Amino acid sequence: MAEDKIKVATSDGGILEVDLYIAKQWQPVKLIYEVLDSTNVPENPIDLDAISTETLKKIIEWSNHHKQDEADSADNSENDRNHGEISPWDKTFFNIKQEMIFEIIVAADHLGMTELLDMGCKTVANMIKGKTPEEVRQTFNIPNDLPPLQTAQPITSNENQ
Amino acid sequence: MVFSYDYSELPQIVLVEIFSYLKHNDLLTASSTCSSWRNVLYHPKLWSSIPYRCLRLNLIDRHNDIQSFRYLTNNFLSITRYIEISFDPTDINIIKSILQILDTLSCTNRQIKILIFRPTSTRCALAENEQPFIPLCDKIYHLLEQIVESNQAMEIISFGCWFESLFRIEEIVHVLAQKQSQSIQQLHLASIKSSETHSIADIYLSSQSFLPFSSLNTLSIDATYFTNELLHCLVQQSASLKRLIVHVCEFRSDTQPIDETVWHSIASIMPNLRVAVHMLNAHETFRKYSRVLRPGMPLSHLRMYFCSSLNVDLLCYLSVHYRSTLECLDVIDSVTEPALRYHNLFRAEPDPLVLLAWQCKKLTSLTILGYEVLEVNLLAIAKLRPQLRRLNVCADCVMTLQYGHLQMNRQFVEDEDGNDAFIQYGICTNSIQTIIGQVLGWQWHPLSKHEIPIGVYEYTVPLELSFIEQIHNIFESSM
């Protein structure tokens, strides 16, 4: 039923209701259903302890939007992925704090959501493009633990590739 | 709530994904930020996705950046699929390093797809009569053989005219035909030999060796091996052949010219085939040239380096036989005093270069260095072939010619019917340059000294330095 919902518990103690259709795309949920071997909604909320409430809300928002995309045509998303293009909606979606992008990427990896992970990685890649190493460190708050001599070019610097 | 996040702690698989979207420069930047991001560079996935990331090794100046060289060879030789080695083959220590690289490749890498050599010279590290020369060629061959045998599906191999590696060319082709015949797409076996530096007796290569190659689309080879039989073999097995590059370094009396009929039948079987002919230090009469430049050959590119042989006969021949195929004519000769002439400009006939530009409808690139060219003819060429993307002449060789009368007082008076001629060199007025630029649609100027290959002005420099790099680039691009 389109109305089927399921409860999930997050790392900071929140409990959210999610469409079953969306939740079943997540690895941990899939596993549980395979083990239980039933289409019944489990009584207790499923524990997604690595993901915070806020992150999960964003992920559900993304899934809701892209649920329609998938219904329209399965091919479209494939093309987007290959061309490295991020749709305008996704650009807005990822226009958030670094911390949240990080959380979403880690969560997408954990939940096995390859498309969301792709989008997240592309977003991060776009944020690296055109910057100097120091600027990248500042953008992502990366501590520099390289010994001073090793900042030279790792690959010979001939032309472009 | 405060999130604690550390981008350097992202799982490696995620980082590899992020980095796979980055181009070369951004990859450098990203891997310079911290040690965990640096380590992502060593993940094979970054070196295996198409288009393959190229590992470029530079061994031209021995003392230049040893550290960088070691870093690259230690970390990437075993995972790269695309390797390009630029090196100076006249330095025996560099040759030793090359042998080490080949050895490491043959032992640790099973995934090489593209192997490209770019020696900076055609001279050997050892003189040919020196004892270690043949063992060196043997050593190189054995390493190459191991690489070919242990790799799965090599696609592109270019020896870059590296003489020592082509010494056992017959066996190399044989082992390639055995192990890589289905996957090889491009094979560059052409060399640059000169009788001053190479007095090797004939090296044999049978045409039958090429039969097994089914995916070959590009082949470069010496004219010595370019025979009717070779063409038949190529056509038989591989209808996918698109580019053929032939190197002519000397004209041997026993070379069999290819039949016209053969070319005509090939044109119908392989209509996409284009042939490029490179004449390298090959001074000859026009009659000898026509043994290679056969009518019916789909000649798209003719490049003549230091042949001193551009003349009316050749230009007319090209205009007649290749008017529907010729796309590029490059003639590079030394600037002498006076400059070479391809045509007696006092004759009333139209300039043969202008005629060629007019007749060859596909011409997009014209380079004539070292020969006098009249300014007005440049303008005519531009107007007749406005689709030219390249029009190169030496600024020093551009001439203007005015007819008139030389007075008793050494004054020159212009007069169309005059019997005296006033010639000026090295002048190409700005107004003419502008007009040519307007006709062609891009900013045009004749080339100054520093824009011209070194051998054109410097006679003491080995000639191949002027064109070997360009030839490597031609091998690697679309002609």
Side-chain angles (χ1 to χ4, degrees), chain A residues 12 52 54-55 81 84 98-103 105-106 109 117-118 120-122 124-126 128-134 136-137 139-146 149-161, chain B residues 1 3-11 13-15 17-19 21-38 41-42 47 51-58 67-68 71-72 76 82 84 86:
Chain A
D12 47 348
S52 72
E54 207 173 315
T55 312
R81 186 187 307 170
Q98 297 301 9
E99 299 95 321
M100 184 51 79
I101 300 182
F102 181 82
E103 294 283 332
I105 288 180
V106 172
D109 185 41
L117 185 58
D118 272 350
C121 289
K122 268 184 214 146
V124 173
N126 283 340
I128 295 176
K129 282 180 187 166
K131 291 196 166 73
T132 67
E134 187 51 45
V136 174
R137 284 192 209 107
T139 310
F140 296 100
N141 202 26
I142 300 174
N144 182 2
D145 61 348
L146 286 173
L149 280 177
Q150 274 194 41
T151 47
Q153 339 248 301
I155 305 176
T156 52
S157 54
N158 269 337
E159 301 149 64
N160 46 11
Q161 172 61 21
Chain B
M1 276 222 174
F3 297 100
S4 74
Y5 71 101
D6 187 352
Y7 270 85
S8 64
E9 298 271 304
L10 278 174
I13 203 160
V14 172
L15 286 174
E17 170 93 25
I18 295 174
F19 281 28
Y21 294 116
L22 295 178
K23 290 239 172 70
H24 184 85
N25 286 330
D26 298 314
L27 193 64
L28 285 183
T29 306
S31 55
S32 308
T33 51
C34 66
S35 60
S36 66
W37 282 34
R38 165 60 62 91
L41 253 191
Y42 309 141
W47 295 84
Y52 304 120
R53 203 171 292 278
C54 177
L55 177 66
R56 287 197 171 87
L57 297 176
N58 263 324
Q67 225 185 0
S68 162
Y71 172 80
L72 293 175
F76 302 115
Y82 177 174
E84 182 188 282
S86 306

Side-chain angles (χ1 to χ4, degrees), chain B residues 223-459:
Chain B
T224 334
Y225 308 122
F226 193 57
T227 56
N228 281 324
E229 295 95 292
L230 179 68
L231 268 182
H232 276 128
C233 291
L234 289 174
V235 169
Q236 246 179 305
Q237 189 56 17
S238 148
S240 56
L241 197 64
K242 291 208 177 70
R243 299 162 47 195
L244 208 49
I245 302 175
V246 181
H247 275 205
V248 182
C249 301
E250 53 179 6
F251 282 86
R252 302 155 51 98
S253 46
D254 58 347
T255 315
Q256 299 283 345
I258 301 204
D259 279 343
E260 276 181 58
T261 49
V262 174
W263 279 120
H264 284 124
S265 65
I266 285 182
S268 49
I269 305 172
M270 298 198 287
N272 293 325
L273 180 65
R274 286 147 74 219
V275 180
V277 173
H278 296 167
M279 312 255 190
L280 310 160
N281 299 339
H283 310 257
E284 261 313 334
T285 60
F286 162 68
R287 199 182 254 169
K288 289 258 178 85
Y289 283 147
S290 60
R291 293 170 124 211
V292 177
L293 303 175
R294 305 294 299 143
M297 181 163 85
L299 182 71
S300 62
H301 295 69
L302 177 60
R303 298 182 174 101
M304 300 172 69
Y305 299 105
F306 302 102
C307 300
S308 314
S309 304
L310 190 63
N311 57 33
V312 177
D313 288 334
L314 181 59
L315 286 169
C316 288
Y317 185 86
L318 297 175
S319 306
V320 167
H321 293 290
Y322 306 115
R323 67 157 76 96
S324 53
T325 58
L326 193 66
E327 297 169 31
C328 166
L329 177 63
D330 277 356
V331 180
I332 298 181
D333 261 296
S334 303
V335 171
T336 49
E337 183 76 45
L340 295 167
R341 285 187 178 173
Y342 60 84
H343 170 58
N344 182 351
L345 44 85
F346 295 108
R347 293 179 74 142
E349 293 144 10
D351 185 281
L353 197 60
V354 173
L355 269 180
L356 180 134
W358 177 49
Q359 293 274 43
C360 295
K361 309 252 180 279
K362 286 198 169 171
L363 197 69
T364 55
S365 172
L366 185 61
T367 299
I368 311 280
L369 301 183
Y371 290 84
E372 293 174 349
V373 185
L374 277 179
E375 194 190 46
V376 293
N377 285 338
L378 281 175
L379 185 53
I381 289 172
K383 285 189 169 166
L384 289 166
R385 272 299 132 232
Q387 82 246 28
L388 280 172
R389 293 287 110 231
R390 250 198 301 269
L391 177 58
N392 290 333
V393 291
C394 297
D396 288 337
C397 297
V398 179
M399 282 173 56
T400 53
L401 170 62
Q402 287 160 322
Y403 285 105
H405 301 282
L406 190 59
Q407 310 276 39
M408 292 297 280
N409 58 358
R410 314 295 288 170
Q411 286 271 358
F412 186 82
V413 174
E414 266 192 71
D415 180 358
E416 285 268 321
D417 300 317
N419 288 328
D420 300 321
F422 184 59
I423 299 177
Q424 279 185 299
Y425 281 101
I427 310 264
C428 189
T429 56
N430 281 333
S431 54
I432 297 278
Q433 283 188 39
T434 317
I435 298 176
I436 293 181
Q438 281 168 353
V439 169
L440 295 175
W442 42 276
Q443 267 201 325
W444 179 85
H445 64 274
L447 301 182
S448 55
K449 243 181 181 169
H450 63 90
E451 293 170 298
I452 286 173
I454 190 169
V456 173
Y457 281 98
E458 292 290 335
Y459 308 140

